[in-house]
């Protein structure tokens, strides 16, 4: 009888933990789908306006074609040191 109660309590604790974990995962996935969610509305920007602005600020690596923010570009045209070396070798 006591064994069944202990197993039941452990099961309830595990179920509550799993429920909160699943809720947290779905919340994060929802924020990933709508990146301009609460933060964009606080600044007075629409999600579409923020997306256009983000796309406009990306630059394409001339070697591999990866889009990167301008502040992370090396030499203004390369996404990484490996791409920069590939361009020098060619």
């Amino acid at each position: 009888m006591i064994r069944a109660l202990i197993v039941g309590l452990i099961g309830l604790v595990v179920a509550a933990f799993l429920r909160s974990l699943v809720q947290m995962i779905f919340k994060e996935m929802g924020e990933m789908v709508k990146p301009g969610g609460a933060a964009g509305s606080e600044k007075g920007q629409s999600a579409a306006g923020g997306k256009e602005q983000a796309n406009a600020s990306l630059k394409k690596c001339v070697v591999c074609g990866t889009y990167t923010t301008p502040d992370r570009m090396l030499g203004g045209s390369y996404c990484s040191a490996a791409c920069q070396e590939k361009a020098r070798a060619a």
Side-chain angles (χ1 to χ4, degrees):
M1 176 73 177
I2 293 194
R3 183 177 182 187
L5 287 174
I6 291 173
V7 169
L9 287 175
I10 291 173
L12 286 174
V13 170
V14 169
F17 174 75
L18 289 176
R19 181 177 183 217
S20 64
L21 183 66
V22 168
Q23 285 178 342
M24 182 177 61
I25 290 171
F26 279 114
K27 180 182 176 185
E28 292 297 321
M29 289 177 68
E31 290 176 4
M32 287 173 50
V33 171
K34 294 186 275 183
S41 62
E42 289 175 4
K43 295 179 184 177
Q45 298 176 347
S46 68
K51 189 174 185 180
E52 290 172 6
Q53 182 181 8
N55 288 340
S57 65
L58 295 177
K59 291 183 73 177
K60 187 176 182 180
C61 176
V62 295
V63 176
C64 68
T66 301
Y67 287 93
T68 310
T69 57
D71 60 329
R72 294 187 57 127
M73 297 294 278
L74 300 175
S77 300
Y78 309 106
C79 67
S80 65
C83 284
Q84 197 171 25
E85 290 300 319
K86 285 179 187 177
R88 286 184 188 159

